[in-house]
């Protein structure tokens, strides 16, 4: 018995020591990324000017000019965050107008899921809707209505999310037919990690927002988000990487590093906006994800010059993320900057965002503009608060 106790003590000590080394290695990297208050303030000023120019141009053209459900949700968030940091009520009005448009479109459908695009199912075409756009527009509209104390709208969005097809195994449908509410694929098939993460963000956030108006609904949503997160975190590789699918398979026609950044960004938003999800398990997973982004993606992203991540790539994964006015390339760069800064890698994140600002698509009312502004406003909110 004594021998067994000694052996177990040694094993546990080794595990704790190894974990401590790993955490210290990550912490050292983060500490080395510290930026002075003056440099942080200067960066925030540059980013704020870009967001102001873009936001004012969109408002000048009318927020009805926005194109796409993801763009609606993202820009609603951008405008409200700009109001929160500047006090400019024009941004608040724009955010509320977009949120009201989103919920009106949701209520115009049978199940509250807005049409995104046609999908094939069994040789037939269906009107598809779902994540990640579904996660963006529900989460951001609900956050705005919650801050505006419009709790009936919050409860409506919560009920829509609660009714969205869900597997007790821990995942949501990837796409539904908006006319029938039925999933495109059997629920026995897990949907991609990024899609689950987007809905987990929305469900988790809204579980917080509806606590005071519908406690049972809040509890159901929290339980679903917790179970999904458990699946997502269990699927994370030791180096912090998340695959495209929960099974660990990576389709060759997907930029898997891009989807990794999307997954990480939405989970960082969940942690930021929903205090009950700030536990050590998710925080540790996001710490590993941030460390992976810093070590493996930042070096292959402009203005850095290294080549591709050697371990995780597919045919569609770029050898290098070159920043340009190309919307897809710019999207990935802003996503990476957001992941780095939210993960504590401030110096590297600011360097990459500063480079990307040269190509900011001012006044673009589609996804290119939204994909630049959405991470930008989140970064500014984090750094200023």
């Amino acid at each position: 018995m004594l021998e067994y106790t000694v052996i177990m003590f040694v094993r546990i000590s080794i595990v704790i020591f190894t974990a401590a080394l790993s955490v210290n290695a990550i912490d050292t990297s983060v500490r080395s990324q510290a930026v002075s208050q003056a440099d942080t303030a200067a960066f925030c000023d540059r980013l704020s000017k870009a967001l102001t120019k873009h936001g004012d141009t969109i408002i000048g053209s009318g927020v009805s000019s926005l194109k796409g459900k993801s763009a609606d949700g993202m820009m609603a968030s951008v405008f409200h965050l700009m109001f929160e940091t500047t006090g400019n009520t024009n941004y608040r009005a724009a955010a509320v107008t977009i949120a009201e448009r989103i919920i009106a479109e949701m209520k115009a459908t049978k199940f509250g899921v807005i049409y995104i695009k046609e999908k094939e199912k069994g040789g037939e075409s269906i009107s598809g809707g779902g994540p990640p756009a579904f996660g963006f527009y529900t989460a951001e509209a609900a956050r705005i209505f919650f801050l505006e104390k419009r709790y009936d709208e919050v409860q409506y969005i919560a009920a829509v999310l609660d009714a969205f097809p869900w597997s007790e195994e821990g995942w949501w449908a990837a796409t539904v037919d908006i006319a029938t509410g039925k999933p495109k694929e059997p629920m026995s098939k897990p949907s991609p990690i990024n899609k689950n993460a987007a809905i987990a963000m929305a469900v988790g956030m809204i579980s917080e927002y509806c606590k005071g108006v519908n406690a049972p609904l809040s509890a159901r949503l929290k339980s679903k988000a917790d179970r999904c997160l458990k699946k997502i975190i269990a699927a994370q590789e030791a180096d912090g990487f998340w695959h495209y699918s929960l099974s660990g398979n990576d389709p060759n026609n997907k930029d898997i590093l891009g989807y990794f950044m999307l997954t990480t960004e939405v989970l960082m938003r969940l942690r930021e906006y929903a205090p009950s999800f700030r536990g050590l398990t998710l925080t540790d997973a996001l710490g590993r994800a941030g460390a992976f982004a810093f070590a493996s993606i930042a070096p292959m992203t402009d203005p850095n010059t290294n080549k591709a991540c050697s371990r995780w790539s597919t045919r569609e994964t770029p050898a290098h993320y070159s920043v340009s006015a190309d919307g897809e390339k710019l999207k990935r760069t802003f996503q990476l900057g957001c992941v780095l800064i939210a993960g504590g890698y401030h110096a590297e994140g600011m360097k990459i965002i500063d480079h990307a600002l040269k190509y900011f698509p001012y006044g673009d009312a589609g996804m290119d503009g939204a994909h630049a502004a959405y991470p930008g406003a989140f970064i500014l909110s984090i750094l200023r608060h």
Side-chain angles (χ1 to χ4, degrees):
M1 182 66 184
L2 177 61
E3 181 181 1
Y4 172 78
T5 302
V6 170
I7 291 171
M8 290 305 297
F9 175 78
V10 171
R11 286 179 176 174
I12 292 169
S13 298
I14 291 171
V15 169
I16 293 172
F17 179 70
T18 304
L21 285 178
S22 175
V23 171
N24 284 338
I26 293 173
D27 285 350
T28 300
S29 295
V30 171
R31 283 200 296 270
S32 72
Q33 289 288 297
V35 177
S36 71
Q37 288 187 349
D39 286 344
T40 299
F43 170 80
C44 287
D45 186 56
R46 293 190 294 274
L47 182 55
S48 179
K49 286 178 179 176
L51 291 170
T52 299
K53 180 178 178 180
H54 178 64
D56 289 352
T57 304
I58 295 293
I59 289 174
S61 302
V63 293
S64 60
S65 65
L66 291 169
K67 302 169 186 174
K69 296 308 108 191
S70 288
D72 274 350
M74 290 177 178
M75 287 307 298
S77 170
V78 169
F79 281 125
H80 210 279
L81 286 173
M82 290 173 70
F83 161 65
E84 291 167 42
T85 56
T86 67
N88 186 329
T89 55
N90 288 333
Y91 298 140
R92 177 187 180 187
V96 171
T97 296
I98 300 169
E100 288 174 340
R101 185 170 73 219
I102 289 170
I103 202 166
E105 290 188 40
M106 290 176 68
K107 289 181 176 179
T109 70
K110 188 174 182 180
F111 299 97
V113 183
I114 301 173
Y115 170 78
I116 301 297
K117 62 181 177 181
E118 294 296 307
K119 295 277 189 175
E120 291 297 320
K121 180 181 180 181
E124 297 182 359
S125 181
I126 65 169
S127 297
F134 179 63
F136 289 129
Y137 65 73
T138 53
E140 302 303 352
R143 180 174 184 270
I144 290 165
F145 288 130
F146 174 72
L147 293 173
E148 295 292 323
K149 296 180 171 56
R150 294 172 57 171
Y151 302 122
D152 287 346
E153 285 89 342
V154 173
Q155 191 165 198
Y156 168 77
I157 295 173
V160 167
L161 282 161
D162 190 39
F164 194 80
W166 159 259
S167 167
E168 291 299 325
E169 293 295 315
W171 54 79
W172 286 277
T175 303
V176 299
D177 183 339
I178 68 166
T180 66
K182 302 296 183 183
K184 175 178 175 287
E185 301 284 351
M187 288 305 297
S188 57
K189 179 181 178 180
S191 49
I193 288 180
N194 75 88
K195 291 178 179 282
N196 277 300
I199 300 190
M201 172 186 71
V203 168
M205 288 168 58
I206 295 169
S207 73
E208 299 263 334
Y209 301 155
C210 68
K211 276 181 183 177
V213 292
N214 192 328
L217 176 56
S218 171
R220 285 199 305 276
L221 293 176
K222 177 71 165 60
S223 175
K224 289 179 181 179
D226 283 339
R227 277 182 281 172
C228 182
L229 288 172
K230 186 175 180 180
K231 285 283 186 182
I232 292 173
I233 292 169
Q236 188 180 36
E237 294 285 349
D239 64 359
F241 176 69
W242 271 302
H243 291 276
Y244 181 81
S245 69
L246 283 167
S247 64
N249 296 323
D250 292 320
N252 267 324
N253 64 342
K254 303 292 184 182
D255 171 13
I256 58 172
L257 294 182
Y259 284 106
F260 161 82
M261 288 186 274
L262 171 58
T263 294
T264 306
E265 181 190 350
V266 296
L267 294 180
M268 285 177 164
R269 288 176 184 272
L270 171 61
R271 181 183 61 180
E272 180 70 15
Y273 294 137
S276 65
F277 290 90
R278 293 177 188 164
L280 288 177
T281 303
L282 179 58
T283 297
D284 287 349
L286 290 175
R288 291 190 294 272
F292 174 82
F294 176 67
S296 300
I297 306 179
M300 58 178 280
T301 303
D302 280 352
N304 300 317
T305 57
N306 287 6
K307 296 301 181 183
C309 170
S310 58
R311 187 177 183 191
W312 307 116
S313 65
T314 61
R315 184 180 63 237
E316 291 300 312
T317 305
H320 184 84
Y321 285 109
S322 300
V323 184
S324 70
D326 176 270
E328 186 67 19
K329 294 177 180 177
L330 198 60
K331 172 177 76 174
R332 297 307 185 200
T333 307
F334 274 99
Q335 281 179 337
L336 175 59
C338 181
V339 167
L340 291 171
I341 292 171
Y345 298 90
H346 290 181
E348 188 67 21
M350 289 179 188
K351 178 178 72 176
I352 287 172
I353 292 294
D354 265 333
H355 188 70
L357 286 176
K358 300 173 185 177
Y359 304 93
F360 199 108
Y362 296 109
D364 183 280
M367 291 308 302
D368 289 354
H371 278 308
Y374 190 55
F378 186 56
I379 290 169
L380 197 60
S381 175
I382 290 172
L383 292 178
R384 285 188 165 170
H385 288 162

mmCIF file of all heavy atoms in Angstrom, residues 2 24 34 163 173 184 217 230 251-252 269 276-277 351 380:
data_model
loop_
_atom_site.group_PDB
_atom_site.id
_atom_site.type_symbol
_atom_site.label_atom_id
_atom_site.label_comp_id
_atom_site.label_asym_id
_atom_site.label_seq_id
_atom_site.Cartn_x
_atom_site.Cartn_y
_atom_site.Cartn_z
ATOM 1 N N LEU A 2 1.925 1.233 0.841
ATOM 2 C CA LEU A 2 2.829 2.378 0.898
ATOM 3 C C LEU A 2 3.524 2.575 -0.441
ATOM 4 O O LEU A 2 3.643 3.704 -0.939
ATOM 5 C CB LEU A 2 3.863 2.169 2.004
ATOM 6 C CG LEU A 2 4.922 3.275 2.139
ATOM 7 C CD1 LEU A 2 4.240 4.610 2.456
ATOM 8 C CD2 LEU A 2 5.926 2.910 3.221
ATOM 9 N N ASN A 24 3.468 27.830 -17.826
ATOM 10 C CA ASN A 24 4.492 28.863 -17.723
ATOM 11 C C ASN A 24 5.043 29.237 -19.084
ATOM 12 O O ASN A 24 5.341 30.399 -19.352
ATOM 13 C CB ASN A 24 5.632 28.389 -16.815
ATOM 14 C CG ASN A 24 5.238 28.437 -15.346
ATOM 15 O OD1 ASN A 24 4.327 29.177 -14.982
ATOM 16 N ND2 ASN A 24 5.885 27.645 -14.517
ATOM 17 N N ALA A 34 3.600 42.002 -24.000
ATOM 18 C CA ALA A 34 3.055 43.191 -23.344
ATOM 19 C C ALA A 34 3.382 44.445 -24.146
ATOM 20 O O ALA A 34 4.443 44.553 -24.761
ATOM 21 C CB ALA A 34 3.614 43.313 -21.934
ATOM 22 N N ALA A 163 -35.532 25.884 -29.845
ATOM 23 C CA ALA A 163 -36.254 24.987 -30.751
ATOM 24 C C ALA A 163 -35.395 24.501 -31.917
ATOM 25 O O ALA A 163 -35.802 23.586 -32.639
ATOM 26 C CB ALA A 163 -37.504 25.701 -31.289
ATOM 27 N N ALA A 173 -27.879 21.114 -35.516
ATOM 28 C CA ALA A 173 -27.914 20.906 -36.966
ATOM 29 C C ALA A 173 -27.044 21.947 -37.650
ATOM 30 O O ALA A 173 -26.935 23.085 -37.189
ATOM 31 C CB ALA A 173 -29.350 21.000 -37.476
ATOM 32 N N LYS A 184 -31.044 19.403 -42.581
ATOM 33 C CA LYS A 184 -30.643 18.901 -43.894
ATOM 34 C C LYS A 184 -30.027 17.507 -43.777
ATOM 35 O O LYS A 184 -30.245 16.642 -44.606
ATOM 36 C CB LYS A 184 -29.646 19.875 -44.528
ATOM 37 C CG LYS A 184 -29.040 19.421 -45.848
ATOM 38 C CD LYS A 184 -28.114 20.495 -46.391
ATOM 39 C CE LYS A 184 -27.398 20.025 -47.665
ATOM 40 N NZ LYS A 184 -26.346 19.032 -47.361
ATOM 41 N N LEU A 217 -36.069 28.355 -19.271
ATOM 42 C CA LEU A 217 -35.514 28.464 -20.622
ATOM 43 C C LEU A 217 -34.025 28.757 -20.551
ATOM 44 O O LEU A 217 -33.216 28.161 -21.281
ATOM 45 C CB LEU A 217 -36.242 29.573 -21.392
ATOM 46 C CG LEU A 217 -35.746 29.896 -22.803
ATOM 47 C CD1 LEU A 217 -35.749 28.655 -23.688
ATOM 48 C CD2 LEU A 217 -36.607 30.993 -23.425
ATOM 49 N N LYS A 230 -18.340 20.976 -24.089
ATOM 50 C CA LYS A 230 -17.606 19.793 -23.637
ATOM 51 C C LYS A 230 -17.108 18.987 -24.829
ATOM 52 O O LYS A 230 -15.968 18.506 -24.844
ATOM 53 C CB LYS A 230 -18.502 18.937 -22.743
ATOM 54 C CG LYS A 230 -17.797 17.760 -22.093
ATOM 55 C CD LYS A 230 -18.713 17.028 -21.126
ATOM 56 C CE LYS A 230 -17.992 15.844 -20.470
ATOM 57 N NZ LYS A 230 -18.892 15.124 -19.520
ATOM 58 N N PRO A 251 -11.787 18.251 -44.385
ATOM 59 C CA PRO A 251 -12.021 18.189 -45.832
ATOM 60 C C PRO A 251 -10.942 18.961 -46.587
ATOM 61 O O PRO A 251 -10.546 20.056 -46.164
ATOM 62 C CB PRO A 251 -13.386 18.861 -46.000
ATOM 63 C CG PRO A 251 -13.998 18.846 -44.643
ATOM 64 C CD PRO A 251 -12.882 18.906 -43.670
ATOM 65 N N ASN A 252 -10.492 18.419 -47.694
ATOM 66 C CA ASN A 252 -9.432 19.069 -48.474
ATOM 67 C C ASN A 252 -9.873 20.384 -49.093
ATOM 68 O O ASN A 252 -9.036 21.206 -49.465
ATOM 69 C CB ASN A 252 -8.930 18.126 -49.575
ATOM 70 C CG ASN A 252 -7.726 17.320 -49.126
ATOM 71 O OD1 ASN A 252 -6.884 17.833 -48.383
ATOM 72 N ND2 ASN A 252 -7.667 16.070 -49.520
ATOM 73 N N ARG A 269 -15.661 35.405 -27.738
ATOM 74 C CA ARG A 269 -16.788 36.323 -27.535
ATOM 75 C C ARG A 269 -17.726 35.777 -26.453
ATOM 76 O O ARG A 269 -18.239 36.532 -25.619
ATOM 77 C CB ARG A 269 -17.541 36.540 -28.848
ATOM 78 C CG ARG A 269 -16.784 37.395 -29.850
ATOM 79 C CD ARG A 269 -17.528 37.492 -31.180
ATOM 80 N NE ARG A 269 -16.744 38.245 -32.150
ATOM 81 C CZ ARG A 269 -16.772 39.563 -32.294
ATOM 82 N NH1 ARG A 269 -17.580 40.293 -31.530
ATOM 83 N NH2 ARG A 269 -16.020 40.173 -33.191
ATOM 84 N N SER A 276 -20.803 33.369 -16.875
ATOM 85 C CA SER A 276 -20.896 32.001 -16.360
ATOM 86 C C SER A 276 -20.075 31.019 -17.189
ATOM 87 O O SER A 276 -19.941 29.849 -16.803
ATOM 88 C CB SER A 276 -22.360 31.536 -16.314
ATOM 89 O OG SER A 276 -22.908 31.456 -17.605
ATOM 90 N N PHE A 277 -19.529 31.475 -18.309
ATOM 91 C CA PHE A 277 -18.696 30.610 -19.150
ATOM 92 C C PHE A 277 -17.208 30.961 -19.023
ATOM 93 O O PHE A 277 -16.416 30.629 -19.896
ATOM 94 C CB PHE A 277 -19.147 30.703 -20.611
ATOM 95 C CG PHE A 277 -20.481 30.068 -20.852
ATOM 96 C CD1 PHE A 277 -21.647 30.811 -20.731
ATOM 97 C CD2 PHE A 277 -20.590 28.724 -21.171
ATOM 98 C CE1 PHE A 277 -22.894 30.231 -20.930
ATOM 99 C CE2 PHE A 277 -21.823 28.131 -21.371
ATOM 100 C CZ PHE A 277 -22.984 28.888 -21.253
ATOM 101 N N LYS A 351 0.454 44.386 -34.416
ATOM 102 C CA LYS A 351 1.274 44.492 -35.629
ATOM 103 C C LYS A 351 0.494 44.008 -36.843
ATOM 104 O O LYS A 351 0.498 44.667 -37.904
ATOM 105 C CB LYS A 351 2.550 43.666 -35.463
ATOM 106 C CG LYS A 351 3.468 43.658 -36.679
ATOM 107 C CD LYS A 351 4.744 42.866 -36.426
ATOM 108 C CE LYS A 351 4.487 41.387 -36.380
ATOM 109 N NZ LYS A 351 5.732 40.584 -36.231
ATOM 110 N N LEU A 380 -11.237 46.639 -29.908
ATOM 111 C CA LEU A 380 -11.246 47.967 -29.279
ATOM 112 C C LEU A 380 -11.962 47.922 -27.931
ATOM 113 O O LEU A 380 -11.511 48.520 -26.946
ATOM 114 C CB LEU A 380 -11.932 48.958 -30.215
ATOM 115 C CG LEU A 380 -11.700 50.448 -29.945
ATOM 116 C CD1 LEU A 380 -10.226 50.792 -30.040
ATOM 117 C CD2 LEU A 380 -12.518 51.288 -30.931
#
